Amino acid sequence: MSTPYSFKIYNSTAQLPVQWNDLAVSTIFLSKKYLEVLEKTSPGNMVCHFIGIFENDILVGIALSQFLDLNKLESFGERDKCIKTAVRNFVFRNFGSHVLVIGNNMLTGQNSYALSDTIDKKRALQALNSATTELKKMFKSKGKKIHITTYKDFDKEEINHFAIPEFENDYQFSTQPNMVFAINGNWKSEQDYIDSLSKKYRDQYKRARKKANVIEKRKLHLEDIIALEDTIYNLYIHVAKNAPFNTFFLPKNHFRTFKEIFKDKFLFYGYFINEKLIGFNTLIKNGTVMDTYFLGYNESIQREKMLYLNMLYDMIAYSINKGFKEIVFARTALEIKSSVGAKPVKMYGFIAHSNPIVNSYMPKIFKYLEPETIWQERNPFK
C-alpha cells in the first residue's frame, strides 16, 4: 500500500520545524531541549538524526535515530571475562559494529517516536521505515555500511503496529524488562511507603538507612556539577565499565550540559563522606513520571554502606513528596529494584542484519548480543 506520508531527516536541532514540540508531549526525550543535549554531548561513537513525518506539509510524527560505531569503543564492559563475552565481542566487531537504532539507546522505554492522534500508525511506521532506508544510504555514502538496524522498547500494545510487510523479515525480540515503580495514590510521604512494606522489607529499609547514616546527601547546582566534574566522571565511568555490556560512554560534560539546558527538571544528587563525593544519581522530571538517569559510585563504599539501595529509597521518597505517579527505574539490577517495589514491564523490539544469511540466524545470534538475566522477582509489600 502506498503511504500518504513523507519524511524529512534533520541533523541539527536548529533545522527542526517550529511545531516539533507540539508532538513531543508523550515524553520529554523527544523534545527539542533534550535533542539539544544529545546534539551537544552525545557519546563519541554516536551520531543522532531527527526525523519528521509529514502529511502534505503538516508535521504529524517525530522520531529519533542514533548511529553507533562500536569499533570506536575500547570496551564493551569489563565485568564478564568469559567465553560468551569473547564470542559476543567477536560477533559485534565482525558482523555488527555499525548499528542504527530507531529510538534511544541511552534510555529504556518508548522514546523512539511520537505521532499525532489523527495519524494511521501503520502507515506512519512505513514512512519511518523509508526514512531508515534513506539514513542507511546516507551513511553508506560516507563509507559506513549499516550492519544492524533495530527499533527498540515498545510495550506489547505498541509492538502490534509493526505487523506490516516492511518488518516481516526482522526478528522480534524481548530484552530485559523496564522496572517501573507505581506510586500509590494514598501515599503522601515516605513514611506511608515504609508502612506499606512487609516486616522483612521494612527491616531491609532500616538496615540500609542505618548503614548510610555517615553519608550526607546534597542537591547539586550547576556550579557544583562543574566544580566536581572530574570526580563525577570517574564515578560514572567506574559503574559504566562494570556493566556486563555497553555500547557507549557519556562524555565528561554531559551532566553539566543537561543541567544548563533543563535547569530544575534535571536533578543531580551528590553523596558525600567527610566532604568527599563518593556517589551521585540523576533524575529527570518527565510530566507525571520520574525517570531515573545515570549514576556513579565508589564500589567499596557502595557495598559497605548499601549506597545503591539508599539511592533507590531516596528517589522513591522524593517522587512521593512531589506527587509523581510513577518512577521509571529502567533496566539492570532487576532484583534490587524489585525489592523496593518496582515491577517488570516487558519490552519488545525488532532487529535485522543487512546480510540476509546472517539475518536468518538472528534468533540464534541474538542470544549472544543480549545475554539472558536470571533474577527473582520480589514483592516487598504487605
Side-chain angles (χ1 to χ4, degrees):
M1 54 185 175
S2 68
T3 168
Y5 304 123
S6 59
F7 66 85
K8 278 187 188 151
I9 294 169
Y10 307 95
N11 53 18
S12 97
T13 51
Q15 303 167 336
L16 297 181
V18 287
Q19 311 87 342
W20 186 275
N21 277 348
D22 299 345
L23 287 169
V25 285
S26 58
T27 171
I28 203 168
F29 298 117
L30 283 168
S31 68
K32 268 188 190 173
K33 268 187 175 178
Y34 174 74
L35 300 181
E36 209 179 301
V37 172
L38 275 189
E39 188 176 33
K40 289 182 173 170
T41 70
S42 66
N45 68 326
M46 182 184 282
V47 179
C48 297
H49 285 94
F50 319 118
I51 302 159
I53 298 170
F54 294 84
E55 186 171 18
N56 302 321
D57 290 330
I58 297 162
L59 185 70
V60 289
I62 57 176
L64 168 66
S65 80
Q66 293 178 336
F67 165 78
L68 290 162
D69 186 346
L70 301 183
N71 290 322
K72 289 188 177 174
L73 276 189
E74 70 275 14
S75 150
F76 285 128
E78 293 168 0
R79 196 180 76 187
D80 301 345
K81 295 269 191 281
C82 65
I83 184 80
K84 200 163 181 181
T85 306
V87 171
R88 187 171 68 212
N89 291 356
F90 175 81
V91 167
F92 263 116
R93 293 254 187 261
N94 295 281
F95 302 105
S97 56
H98 291 162
V99 182
L100 184 63
V101 180
I102 306 301
N104 195 324
N105 194 48
M106 300 159 67
L107 301 162
T108 304
Q110 207 293 69
N111 300 298
S112 308
Y113 57 76
L115 308 172
S116 81
D117 298 337
T118 59
I119 200 168
D120 176 330
K121 278 201 169 179
K122 288 192 172 176
R123 290 190 164 188
L125 288 174
Q126 285 182 313
L128 188 54
N129 185 61
S130 303
T132 308
T133 305
E134 184 59 34
L135 279 165
K136 288 182 201 172
K137 284 183 195 154
M138 282 164 56
F139 281 109
K140 197 173 182 182
S141 70
K142 295 175 187 162
K144 294 205 181 277
K145 179 175 167 33
I146 301 292
H147 302 121
I148 288 174
T149 307
T150 180
Y151 291 72
K152 71 180 279 284
D153 281 357
F154 306 101
D155 61 24
K156 59 177 183 285
E157 193 183 321
E158 191 88 36
I159 201 76
N160 293 332
H161 300 301
F162 286 83
I164 51 175
E166 284 78 357
F167 294 99
E168 65 190 11
N169 292 324
D170 292 18
Y171 173 61
Q172 185 182 315
F173 63 87
S174 178
T175 56
Q176 280 192 20
N178 187 5
M179 298 302 286
V180 178
F181 183 95
I183 294 173
N184 184 321
N186 300 323
W187 296 342
K188 298 293 172 255
S189 68
E190 184 183 17
Q191 192 56 49
D192 294 336
Y193 162 70
I194 300 163
D195 293 343
S196 72
L197 297 171
S198 64
K199 184 180 184 307
K200 177 184 171 183
Y201 290 96
R202 261 204 318 280
D203 290 347
Q204 173 183 285
Y205 175 90
K206 287 177 192 157
R207 193 166 65 249
R209 290 311 207 192
K210 195 175 176 185
K211 289 228 172 179
N213 59 9
V214 295
I215 297 175
E216 186 202 349
K217 177 187 161 200
R218 276 186 227 154
K219 189 188 257 188
L220 300 192
H221 302 289
L222 179 59
E223 57 274 22
D224 307 319
I225 296 168
I226 293 170
L228 290 162
E229 198 157 70
D230 288 345
T231 313
I232 288 166
Y233 190 67
N234 291 338
L235 292 168
Y236 155 72
I237 276 292
H238 167 78
V239 173
K241 283 200 167 169
N242 273 302
F245 187 60
N246 243 318
T247 50
F248 67 89
F249 294 104
L250 296 174
K252 195 183 274 190
N253 65 344
H254 185 81
F255 299 111
R256 160 210 297 229
T257 308
F258 217 124
K259 189 68 175 166
E260 277 167 352
I261 291 174
F262 271 96
K263 310 210 164 39
D264 293 342
K265 280 199 165 155
F266 178 67
L267 302 171
F268 193 110
Y269 287 100
Y271 290 75
F272 296 82
I273 293 181
N274 299 330
E275 295 301 311
K276 183 175 185 279
L277 183 71
I278 49 99
F280 73 88
N281 66 46
T282 50
L283 295 165
I284 299 159
K285 298 176 181 179
N286 191 1
T288 60
V289 176
M290 182 63 87
D291 268 277
T292 62
Y293 199 49
F294 292 93
L295 50 77
Y297 48 69
N298 174 314
E299 180 58 45
S300 58
I301 296 173
Q302 194 290 114
R303 284 224 171 101
E304 187 194 333
K305 305 294 184 197
M306 297 170 85
L307 180 59
Y308 184 71
L309 187 55
N310 276 292
M311 286 179 176
L312 295 179
Y313 289 136
D314 287 344
M315 293 169 184
I316 291 168
Y318 181 88
S319 303
I320 293 170
N321 289 338
K322 297 294 180 189
F324 284 84
K325 300 253 191 308
E326 63 177 32
I327 308 167
V328 173
F329 277 130
R331 294 200 171 91
T332 70
L334 306 176
E335 203 155 319
I336 192 169
K337 287 168 179 172
S338 163
S339 83
V340 300
K343 291 263 175 260
V345 176
K346 215 166 167 140
M347 298 309 251
Y348 301 89
F350 279 98
I351 189 166
H353 196 283
S354 57
N355 179 321
I357 296 167
V358 176
N359 195 49
S360 66
Y361 286 100
M362 192 49 91
K364 286 194 172 70
I365 295 170
F366 191 79
K367 291 189 181 80
Y368 286 102
L369 304 188
E370 178 74 34
E372 197 187 345
T373 318
I374 309 296
W375 68 289
Q376 194 179 348
E377 192 175 339
R378 311 278 179 193
N379 176 27
F381 298 113
K382 285 175 185 163

